[in-house]
Amino acid sequence: MSIIEPKIDVLLGETDNDRFLLCALASKRAHDINDMMRGQRDRAIQLQTAVEIARAADKKPLSMAFSEVARGEVSFNPESIDVKNH
């Protein structure tokens, strides 16, 4: 499995070329997206609307997270990172 879009150079540019920070940001955001999608799926099942279920399952949470990082929609506070223990 490889990342084709967005390009890894763009993703690393958003995280000061720190691949570990990129993984942490994308992982946390994907977890949040997954929680939101699970909520939508539960609501769609209750409403019995297959369209909402299909829409929620269209793209993987990690792919969505990487796209958001590349667009600059997911950010971090550099001052909150402990560089010595990072």
Side-chain angles (χ1 to χ4, degrees):
M1 182 172 136
S2 65
I3 298 175
I4 297 173
E5 286 295 326
K7 299 286 185 197
I8 192 70
D9 296 335
V10 173
L11 293 168
L12 287 173
E14 291 292 325
T15 57
D16 298 334
N17 290 320
D18 187 337
R19 63 182 184 256
F20 299 107
L21 177 59
L22 173 61
C23 289
L25 279 177
S27 172
K28 182 166 178 26
R29 181 61 184 140
H31 182 79
D32 293 343
I33 291 169
N34 197 30
D35 287 346
M36 288 187 303
M37 288 175 64
R38 190 175 301 123
Q40 283 183 347
R41 195 173 295 122
D42 292 344
R43 185 172 50 84
I45 290 170
Q46 288 174 353
L47 297 173
Q48 297 179 354
T49 57
V51 174
E52 288 186 36
I53 296 170
R55 209 176 289 144
D58 187 35
K59 201 171 179 187
K60 302 286 185 200
L62 191 57
S63 296
M64 294 170 72
F66 278 133
S67 295
E68 290 178 2
V69 170
R71 290 191 306 263
E73 296 173 3
V74 177
S75 61
F76 65 99
N77 180 359
E79 295 174 9
S80 68
I81 299 172
D82 184 3
V83 178
K84 292 180 182 176
N85 294 318
H86 178 64

